[in-house]
Amino acid sequence: MVDVSTPTRRTARTRTRTWAVVLAACVGQFLVVLDVSVVNVALPSMRTDLGLSTAGLQWVLNAYSIAFAGFMLLGGRAADIYGRKRMFLVGLGLFTAASLAGGLAQEGWQLLAARAAQGLGAAVLAPATLTLLTAAVPEGPARTKAIGTWMAVGAGGGATGGLIGGALTDALSWRWVLLINVPVGVLVLAGAAIWLAEGRTGERSRIDFTGALLVTAGLASVAYGIVQTEESGWTAAATLVPLLGGLMLLALFVLVEARTAKPLMPLRVLGARAVASANVAMLVLGSATFSMWYFMTVYAQNVLGYTALEAGLALMPTSVAIVVGSKCAPRLMARVGAKNLALVGTVVAAAGFGWQSTMTADGSYLTAVCLPGVLMMAGAGLASTPLASLATSGAAPGESGLVSGIVNTSRTMGGALGLAVLSTVAAARTAGGTGPEDLTAGYALAFRTSGSVLLAGLLLMILWLPRHRSVQR
C-alpha cells in the first residue's frame, strides 16, 4: 500500500502559500496605487482643517509622488539584495505607520512629512510586490494570470481612489482617507510574516543610497523653487536658490551614476534610442496628465460646488477611461504599431485638454467634467502602454525590469514637476482671486498649458521615437 497523503498535503500547502503570496502582493499594490489618487477629493477638507495654503495643498500630492519616484529604483534593488519578504514587510510597515501619522496630523507640516514617508514606504513596497509574485508563481499560464490579476488590482486602485476618498471624507473625515490603510496594513503584515517565504535574486553588494537621495532631493528642491515663483517671482533669492540648488543636485546625481560601480540608474541603458526617447516622452506625458486629477477635483468642489463624494463619482468615468485605454492598447498596437498608437493617444489626450480649457464657472457635468475627462485619460492610457513597450523593446537582455522601473520613475517624476509648474501657472492667472470666475480662469489656463505641452511632446515623438510595426514583449 502506497501512502500518498504527505505529497497531497504538501501540494495543498504549496498552493495555499502561493495564493497567499498573490493576495499579499495584490493588496500591497492596491494600497500603493490607491494613495496616489485617494487624497484628491479630500484636499479641500484638508485645507480647511489644517489651514494649508494653495502651495501646501499641492505638496500633499507632490511629497508622496516625489519620494515614491525618487526611491522606486532603490526599492527594487533592495528587494533583490536584502530579500523580497523583508523589504515587503519594511515597505508596508513604513507605509502603514506613515498613514497613521498622516491621519492624526494636527499641523500642515506633519501631514506633508507623513505623505513623504508614505511615498518612501510605497517605493520599497511596490517593487517587492511584483518580485514576490513572480518568484512564487511558476512561469507559464499561471504566472500570466497572476500578473494580470496584479495589474488589474493596481488599475482598480487608481480608478476607485476618488470614489473611496469621497465616500470616506463625506461619511467620516478626510483623516480616514489615510487611516483606512492602517487596519488593512496591519492585517497584511501579520499574514505576510506567517505565509511569505524569504528569497532574493542578487548577491549582497553596495546599494546606491547616495544616488537615490540626490535625485529625490534635487527634484523636491526644483519643485519647491517653481512653487516659490507664485509668491516671490522668478528672480528672487527664495526662488533661485532652491531652483539652482536642485539642478546642481540633479547634475551631481548624473555624475555619481556615471562613476559608481552599482548605479541606481545605469546611464548606459539610456544609450539606446528607444529607451531614451520613450522615457522622455513618458516624462512629458506624465507632466501634463498627472495634474488633471488635481485640477478636476478642485474645479468640481471649489467652483461647481460638488461634495467630496459627488466629485469622486463625477470622475469615475474618467478613471474607467484610462483603464479601458490601457487594456485596448496592446491589441491596437499589433495593428497600427507602437509609435503610431502613442501618437494617436497623445492627440486624443491633447484634444481632451483643449476641450477642458473651455470650462466655465457654471459648466455642466457632461461637457465640463465627464466627456473632456474621458478623452484626456483614454488618450493617456492609449499612449502610455506603447511608450513603455518601446522602452523595454530597446533594453538589453536581462534589463527589461530595470527599464520598466525607469519608465515608471520618469512618469511619476514628470507628474510631480508638472503639477508644480501648472499650479503656479493657475495661481498667476488667478492673481489672488477666490471667486468662481477667477478660479475657473486659472484652472482653464492650466489645462490649456497642459495641452500645449502634449503637442510639444507629440512633435518630439514624431522626430525621436523609433518606428516599429509591433513590439515583442
Side-chain angles (χ1 to χ4, degrees):
M1 182 174 180
V2 179
D3 183 8
V4 296
S5 59
T6 300
T8 300
R9 286 196 298 270
R10 186 178 296 117
T11 301
R13 284 197 301 269
T14 300
R15 188 179 296 113
T16 300
R17 184 180 292 275
T18 297
W19 283 106
V21 172
V22 173
L23 178 62
C26 288
V27 173
Q29 178 69 359
F30 181 84
L31 290 176
V32 166
V33 178
L34 179 72
D35 262 64
V36 175
S37 60
V38 73
V39 300
N40 279 292
V41 295
L43 291 175
S45 298
M46 292 176 176
R47 180 175 186 174
T48 300
D49 198 14
L50 299 180
L52 290 167
S53 64
T54 301
L57 207 61
Q58 74 184 56
W59 276 101
V60 175
L61 303 178
N62 271 353
Y64 182 89
S65 58
I66 289 176
F68 186 19
F71 289 101
M72 192 186 304
L73 294 178
L74 182 70
R77 183 68 177 143
D80 288 339
I81 294 175
Y82 299 119
R84 309 178 194 99
K85 176 180 178 178
R86 180 177 299 170
M87 299 317 297
F88 180 89
L89 294 176
V90 168
L92 183 56
L94 177 57
F95 183 88
T96 303
S99 297
L100 177 62
L104 299 178
Q106 299 301 311
E107 301 287 343
W109 68 266
Q110 295 172 349
L111 176 60
L112 299 185
R115 287 288 289 169
Q118 268 192 309
L120 176 57
V124 176
L125 175 61
T129 62
L130 185 56
T131 54
L132 275 171
L133 188 148
T134 54
V137 183
E139 191 171 357
R143 180 182 290 182
T144 302
K145 181 179 179 181
I147 292 176
T149 302
W150 178 84
M151 293 181 68
V153 167
T160 59
L163 181 60
I164 294 173
L168 290 172
T169 302
D170 274 2
L172 299 170
S173 160
W174 67 263
R175 297 181 182 279
W176 281 96
V177 169
L178 300 174
L179 292 176
I180 192 65
N181 295 329
V182 178
V184 177
V186 169
L187 286 174
V188 177
L189 278 169
I194 296 171
W195 288 104
L196 298 189
E198 189 55 279
R200 60 175 183 264
T201 59
E203 297 179 356
R204 294 267 184 181
S205 62
R206 181 179 178 275
I207 193 166
D208 188 16
F209 287 107
T210 303
L213 289 173
L214 284 173
V215 70
T216 306
L219 281 170
S221 184
V222 169
Y224 180 79
I226 293 170
V227 170
Q228 284 298 106
T229 62
E230 178 186 340
E231 295 181 0
S232 307
W234 285 96
T235 59
T239 298
L240 291 177
V241 169
L243 269 179
L244 296 177
L247 292 175
M248 290 177 62
L249 289 172
L250 293 176
L252 187 56
F253 165 73
V254 173
L255 184 63
V256 167
E257 297 306 283
R259 296 190 174 187
T260 188
K262 297 288 185 180
L264 181 68
M265 187 180 75
L267 299 181
R268 57 181 167 74
V269 302
L270 298 178
R273 177 183 174 186
V275 177
S277 60
N279 270 282
V280 173
M282 189 68 84
L283 187 144
V284 172
L285 184 70
S287 70
T289 58
F290 178 79
S291 61
M292 187 280 298
W293 303 103
Y294 173 80
F295 286 111
M296 291 290 274
T297 299
V298 293
Y299 170 64
Q301 295 187 65
N302 294 344
V303 176
L304 300 183
Y306 290 13
T307 66
L309 178 57
E310 288 170 343
L313 288 170
L315 293 177
M316 277 300 292
T318 305
S319 301
V320 172
I322 194 170
V323 176
V324 173
S326 300
K327 292 293 184 183
C328 292
R331 191 172 300 174
L332 294 172
M333 279 168 52
R335 296 185 178 184
V336 303
K339 177 176 180 177
N340 288 337
L341 184 59
L343 297 178
V344 169
T346 304
V347 169
V348 172
F353 276 93
W355 186 354
Q356 188 64 57
S357 70
T358 65
M359 61 208 292
T360 62
D362 57 352
S364 69
Y365 167 69
L366 192 63
T367 59
V369 177
C370 181
L371 295 181
V374 167
L375 273 183
M376 285 186 278
M377 289 298 100
L382 288 173
S384 59
T385 301
L387 288 176
S389 297
L390 281 168
T392 54
S393 74
E399 291 185 341
S400 59
L402 171 65
V403 172
S404 296
I406 295 174
V407 168
N408 286 328
T409 300
S410 298
R411 177 173 52 191
T412 309
M413 286 180 175
L417 293 177
L419 178 59
V421 172
L422 293 168
S423 295
T424 303
V425 167
R429 177 64 180 84
T430 302
T434 57
E437 289 79 11
D438 294 326
L439 293 174
T440 302
Y443 303 153
L445 181 58
F447 281 108
R448 197 151 47 246
T449 304
S450 293
S452 301
V453 169
L454 286 174
L455 292 178
L458 180 68
L459 179 60
L460 180 147
M461 293 180 211
I462 292 172
L463 297 176
W464 196 8
L465 285 180
R467 182 174 294 280
H468 296 291
R469 177 64 187 170
S470 62
V471 177
Q472 300 300 322
R473 305 242 11 219

